[in-house]
Amino acid sequence: MLCPVCKTECGAENVCKECGFDQLQVEFLNCEEATYWMENVVLPFRIKWQSNQKVDVGWKDILLRQKEIRYFFDVTILAAERKNEVLGHTVVICPYKRLRDCFIEQLELQLPYRNIKKEDVVQRMTMGEFAAALSSLQPSDIYSLEPKVLPVGKKYTEDIIAAFKEFVLIVRIGKGPSARVVRLELPPFTFLAIANKMSEVPKAYLPLFENIIEIKVDKYESCKIEMQLIASELELKILPSAIDMIASQTKYDIDKAISCIKHINDFMFVKGMVGNMVTVDLAREVISQFM
């Protein structure tokens, strides 16, 4: 039989292995008894169980599991603050966007009086765009940028290094024998490089970073957490066991797992099943239609 709480197939079991409801094999003398049981036993249990399924991810706790990250927040940042020095250039390597965002949020909380300028650039910057961005910085600002969008070319490398290391903006005027070089002072700032993987950071710039932080991610945990969050955002009710099954089927590939969640949500909408619980069997049936 199906569990009346979570709709999991329980067969002849007395207790649902999914939600723990322990009144499965019950009999009623009349419809009134069945109605009373549903309203006073099943529904209260279902409400309590569903409330426990809400995702509450402690991103800070996940982030601070790593001792080197705890040291960065507890010691490195505080040392710079107490010495009244600019925080050293920092590179953060993490393939998981929510954890990268969490890192910046914790930085904002710890350094509330410093402006964190996040440059949301997707295409490679020109040297002019890069110079304009640096020119707008104030002392002790934190300039956050993906290193893969930095201008490329040997003629730019030295200028970029000078900007980060010496806090000098080199402006080249004209060409040929009459060309001039103007050095403009920049205020001391922190370059916060955010990258998916280390290979995105040009090797020439690695010596510039005092702090190299690699956020280690458990792909099994992060995949399931991301699926739960997406399901919650879509208001899709799905059992943890269904999450586990989909994660396994997609080999813990976050993008594929998220795609499955969205496909299942579309299926529930088209079939008029919005609000129903997605069980393992239902999830398996749906993904078998496109995987």
Side-chain angles (χ1 to χ4, degrees):
M1 65 173 292
L2 290 179
C3 171
V5 172
C6 66
K7 307 304 180 184
T8 297
E9 178 57 57
C10 298
E13 298 291 331
N14 291 317
V15 179
C16 176
K17 61 182 179 182
E18 189 67 51
C19 68
F21 187 63
D22 59 1
Q23 296 191 43
L24 296 179
Q25 308 300 333
V26 294
E27 297 181 358
F28 309 102
L29 295 176
N30 49 54
C31 291
E32 287 76 13
E33 283 189 2
T35 300
Y36 181 88
W37 177 76
M38 179 62 68
E39 293 178 350
N40 295 278
V41 178
V42 175
L43 291 181
F45 191 97
R46 180 185 296 161
I47 292 171
K48 182 178 180 180
W49 176 75
Q50 288 180 343
S51 67
N52 291 334
Q53 304 309 302
K54 293 180 180 179
V55 180
D56 183 17
V57 180
W59 295 112
K60 180 181 176 181
D61 294 335
I62 293 175
L63 190 68
L64 297 182
R65 286 176 188 171
Q66 290 180 230
K67 61 181 181 181
E68 53 274 45
I69 297 178
R70 291 199 305 272
Y71 187 90
F72 176 77
F73 282 105
D74 294 344
V75 178
T76 305
I77 291 178
L78 289 179
E81 284 287 281
R82 292 176 182 177
K83 293 177 184 178
N84 198 29
E85 296 176 350
V86 67
L87 180 66
H89 296 317
T90 302
V91 59
V92 176
I93 308 296
C94 180
Y96 194 36
K97 184 179 183 302
R98 292 191 195 266
L99 277 176
R100 296 198 304 267
D101 291 343
C102 179
F103 184 93
I104 293 179
E105 288 171 6
Q106 294 307 311
L107 204 57
E108 290 172 332
L109 289 173
Q110 194 132 348
L111 298 170
Y113 304 111
R114 296 199 181 184
N115 177 43
I116 298 180
K117 182 178 180 182
K118 289 176 282 190
E119 200 79 72
D120 295 322
V121 180
V122 293
Q123 295 182 336
R124 191 172 297 282
M125 302 172 77
T126 66
M127 199 60 193
E129 292 170 336
F130 177 69
L134 294 186
S135 299
S136 67
L137 297 177
Q138 299 297 317
S140 297
D141 277 359
I142 296 175
Y143 181 55
S144 177
L145 181 73
E146 291 188 25
K148 65 182 180 181
V149 304
L150 286 171
V152 294
K154 291 183 178 179
K155 62 179 180 178
Y156 298 138
T157 302
E158 289 184 5
D159 294 353
I160 293 174
I161 291 175
F164 290 144
K165 189 174 182 178
E166 303 172 34
F167 301 119
V168 170
L169 184 59
I170 297 177
V171 180
R172 303 181 186 278
I173 303 173
K175 296 181 180 180
S178 61
R180 292 189 301 120
V181 175
V182 178
R183 294 168 65 90
L184 303 175
E185 288 190 10
L186 292 170
F189 67 93
T190 300
F191 177 38
L192 176 62
I194 305 291
N196 291 314
K197 49 191 176 181
M198 186 64 77
S199 60
E200 293 179 357
V201 184
K203 291 182 179 179
Y205 303 142
L206 277 177
L208 298 171
F209 296 104
E210 292 184 24
N211 309 299
I212 298 178
I213 298 173
E214 187 169 0
I215 303 176
K216 298 178 177 63
V217 179
D218 183 323
K219 72 173 185 177
Y220 305 103
E221 177 185 42
S222 59
C223 180
K224 290 190 283 188
I225 288 175
E226 186 67 28
M227 291 169 65
Q228 290 170 329
L229 287 168
I230 294 297
S232 179
E233 291 168 3
L234 295 172
E235 298 184 355
L236 177 69
K237 298 177 181 178
I238 183 166
L239 293 175
S241 56
I243 291 284
D244 291 340
M245 185 276 294
I246 297 169
S248 177
Q249 286 283 91
T250 57
K251 297 181 179 178
Y252 301 94
D253 183 301
I254 290 179
D255 292 334
K256 289 181 180 179
I258 289 175
S259 178
C260 285
I261 292 293
K262 292 179 177 179
H263 280 314
I264 291 172
N265 187 62
D266 289 343
F267 178 90
M268 301 294 280
F269 176 74
V270 170
K271 298 298 182 180
M273 300 170 65
V274 174
N276 289 7
M277 184 65 67
V278 179
T279 63
V280 172
D281 291 340
L282 178 57
R284 186 176 286 113
E285 175 191 345
V286 177
I287 65 176
S288 69
Q289 299 181 35
F290 59 84
M291 281 184 65

